[in-house]
Amino acid sequence: MLFNIITITKNYNEGFIRTLDSVRCQERNHEIEIRHLICNGDPDDLEFKSLSESFRGNEFLISNEDTGIYNAMNKGLSKVIDGWIIFLNAGDILEDEFVIIKLAK
């Protein structure tokens, strides 16, 4: 089962780090795959560029200017292949580390 988590961020790196940590700590099993699609609206943000160097294989960056939050969300949606879609914006966190497992049931 594939879960696509789309995170929209722009110049809110402190909040983004909380969100990234929340997604990374999700428990999974052999039936669950998580793709984290990260839409950064400020490609010139040097601090974010530094953060993105630590992205893992299931974390995908879309970094270019957008015309607002809905434009950024649509950029994330355009990269979804299949599966569930969860919007989790910068600063948002999942309730606990078992959210994805609970959704998969």
Side-chain angles (χ1 to χ4, degrees):
M1 185 171 287
L2 175 60
F3 289 87
N4 297 277
I5 300 176
I6 299 173
T7 297
I8 308 304
T9 187
K10 184 174 184 177
N11 303 115
Y12 186 38
N13 296 326
E14 180 182 319
F16 172 72
I17 290 168
R18 282 196 311 272
T19 303
L20 183 63
D21 289 343
S22 175
V23 172
R24 284 180 174 174
C25 78
Q26 284 300 296
E27 292 289 327
R28 8 191 132 156
N29 59 34
H30 65 280
E31 298 173 1
I32 295 173
E33 179 184 351
I34 297 174
R35 292 180 75 230
H36 195 181
L37 306 166
I38 301 150
C39 302
N40 174 34
D42 184 1
D44 297 323
D45 181 343
L46 296 177
E47 184 180 350
F48 189 86
K49 283 181 182 180
S50 176
L51 287 172
S52 68
E53 291 174 4
S54 71
F55 285 176
R56 299 175 179 172
N58 68 323
E59 297 163 346
F60 303 93
L61 177 61
I62 304 159
S63 186
N64 51 33
E65 290 186 28
D66 53 59
T67 57
I69 191 168
Y70 299 111
N71 179 244
M73 290 172 143
N74 284 328
K75 287 179 185 181
L77 283 172
S78 73
K79 301 297 182 187
V80 171
I81 300 166
D82 194 15
W84 290 84
I85 300 169
I86 300 169
F87 285 98
L88 193 67
N89 293 330
D92 296 345
I93 58 172
L94 296 164
E95 181 178 34
D96 58 40
E97 64 270 19
F98 304 105
V99 169
I100 299 298
I101 284 184
K102 291 175 192 175
L103 289 172
K105 289 185 178 183

